[in-house]
Amino acid sequence: MPSMKKTRVNVLTGFLGVGKTTALRHLISHRPRDEKWAIIVNEFGEIGIDGAVLDDGELPVAEIAGGCLCCVAGPQMTVTVANLLRREKPDRLIIEASGLAHAAGLIDELRTEPLGNALEVGAVLTLVDPRQFVNNDYFRQPLYRDQVMVADVLLATKSDLADADTLAVYRDKAAGLFPPKSLVAEIHHGAANPIWLDAALAPKPQYRPSVRKDDAPGWQSQGWTFPAGTTFSGEALTDFFDTLPQKVDGLVRAKGVFQVMDSWLWLNWTEGRWAANQVAWRRDNRFELIANGLDAAAIETALRACIEPWSQD
């Protein structure tokens, strides 16, 4: 009796704010038309923003919120993957891991029964900001080192923000990684090539970095949702995102999906910069941030002040 064809699964990982969702949007828009894909998105907080951004009405997208896929959300991941495979029967499954996910543990879960019976683990794509990659303080963090070491394909994003010396150090350091990667490249505006999903698997070290429970930063996350039909002022949202660092102590990340006039926008703040892009999401408005500390009531008041007066509930 012939064995059942397995679904190929790729993991897309990388630290917070490195551009994973942008790269995944590019991969989706350039996917082979004869190949059926499904997407799973994991986020640190409880409100899924990336899933809303990726939902174009064509691909099945499932969300797992609330932490690292291989710990807090582990059991939920197994159920979500199994249900998605059973319902959609995709040729390829792509998992966008949280920026705080320990990628090696996730790969182990995907290879172990029961998921291992249905999945063939393909190339792991790890995105890095070259400015962080050349900083040894990042490599001292087991989580960051884990994401780099488990990669088959290492992709530098935000190269336009790095100077020539930083990029030269990145290239030398990446080329010297052992075991070597199947591919090391630099991408602009998230332009990852779908061909890289089928890159050869690089040999992995026998012993992975040990990860203690207290390695994760002591960050807080908070999320809000507002029903569809609640319209936000673009001018007010611009001011809100411009002044977020003053409103939030130790802001690490902020992103949201908002209805502005007849459009829906994805607003994404990282490293003191933010940008807006149109998305197909129409289900609800949502906003989430990660910070060292936050006054949820004050943030909600400022957020509600961005709602157009005529659409207040």
Side-chain angles (χ1 to χ4, degrees):
M1 184 175 178
S3 59
M4 183 180 300
K5 180 185 176 183
K6 292 187 176 184
T7 295
R8 193 167 183 85
V9 57
N10 297 94
V11 174
L12 183 68
T13 188
F15 208 58
L16 290 171
V18 78
K20 295 185 296 295
T21 302
T22 300
L24 184 49
R25 291 183 82 197
H26 187 276
L27 287 169
I28 289 171
S29 66
H30 292 80
R31 70 190 186 277
R33 291 301 166 184
D34 60 347
E35 193 173 270
K36 185 176 182 181
W37 287 15
I39 310 295
I40 291 179
V41 180
N42 174 233
E43 298 199 60
F44 177 68
E46 298 295 335
I47 304 294
I49 303 296
D50 293 350
V53 170
L54 295 166
D55 191 336
D56 62 359
E58 294 183 19
L59 291 183
V61 178
E63 293 176 293
I64 301 175
C68 161
L69 275 169
C70 59
C71 46
V72 177
Q76 186 185 353
M77 183 196 70
T78 300
V79 173
T80 301
V81 171
N83 288 340
L84 196 60
L85 294 179
R86 187 181 308 112
R87 184 176 66 248
E88 302 294 340
K89 297 179 174 57
D91 300 305
R92 186 183 302 274
L93 172 65
I94 299 181
I95 299 177
E96 181 195 338
S98 158
L100 298 178
H102 295 290
L106 170 57
I107 298 300
D108 288 342
E109 289 291 326
L110 296 173
R111 285 184 171 144
T112 304
E113 293 184 5
L115 295 181
N117 296 329
L119 295 173
E120 175 193 358
V121 176
V124 176
L125 276 61
T126 297
L127 274 58
V128 295
D129 183 328
R131 297 167 301 171
Q132 296 173 348
F133 188 82
V134 303
N135 184 340
N136 286 331
D137 288 340
Y138 278 86
F139 265 86
R140 292 189 185 102
Q141 301 178 34
L143 186 149
Y144 188 89
R145 196 163 62 247
D146 175 31
Q147 292 175 344
V148 171
M149 295 305 290
V150 80
D152 301 296
V153 175
L154 188 70
L155 301 176
T157 64
K158 304 186 178 182
S159 299
D160 57 317
L161 302 179
D163 58 33
D165 289 342
T166 298
L167 288 175
V169 174
Y170 158 75
R171 291 164 187 151
D172 287 344
K173 190 172 182 177
L177 289 172
F178 184 84
K181 304 304 176 190
S182 295
L183 174 71
V184 175
E186 296 160 31
I187 59 174
H188 302 277
H189 309 296
N193 192 329
I195 294 175
W196 297 340
L197 296 171
D198 292 320
L201 303 188
K204 302 296 191 295
Q206 183 177 0
Y207 299 106
R208 290 168 174 161
S210 60
V211 178
R212 303 184 308 270
K213 291 183 179 178
D214 59 354
D215 281 329
W219 294 329
Q220 297 174 250
S221 69
Q222 182 74 38
W224 292 264
T225 60
F226 302 88
T230 305
T231 306
F232 285 76
S233 160
E235 184 177 344
L237 281 176
T238 296
D239 181 67
F240 177 77
F241 270 76
D242 281 343
T243 58
L244 261 180
Q246 289 75 55
K247 292 183 174 73
V248 181
D249 179 35
L251 181 64
V252 175
R253 191 76 197 281
K255 50 188 172 181
V257 178
F258 301 95
Q259 182 178 358
V260 178
M261 300 289 287
D262 295 327
S263 298
W264 287 73
L265 300 178
W266 170 36
L267 275 61
N268 187 13
W269 186 101
T270 182
E271 293 187 332
R273 298 155 56 98
W274 66 275
N277 292 279
Q278 287 195 346
V279 292
W281 182 257
R282 297 292 186 272
R283 203 171 305 165
D284 56 23
N285 297 270
R286 47 182 64 192
F287 172 72
E288 185 164 56
L289 53 77
I290 302 173
N292 292 332
L294 53 90
D295 183 337
I299 296 168
E300 181 169 345
T301 297
L303 193 58
R304 286 189 176 276
C306 299
I307 299 174
E308 295 282 11
W310 47 265
S311 76
Q312 295 274 4
D313 49 20

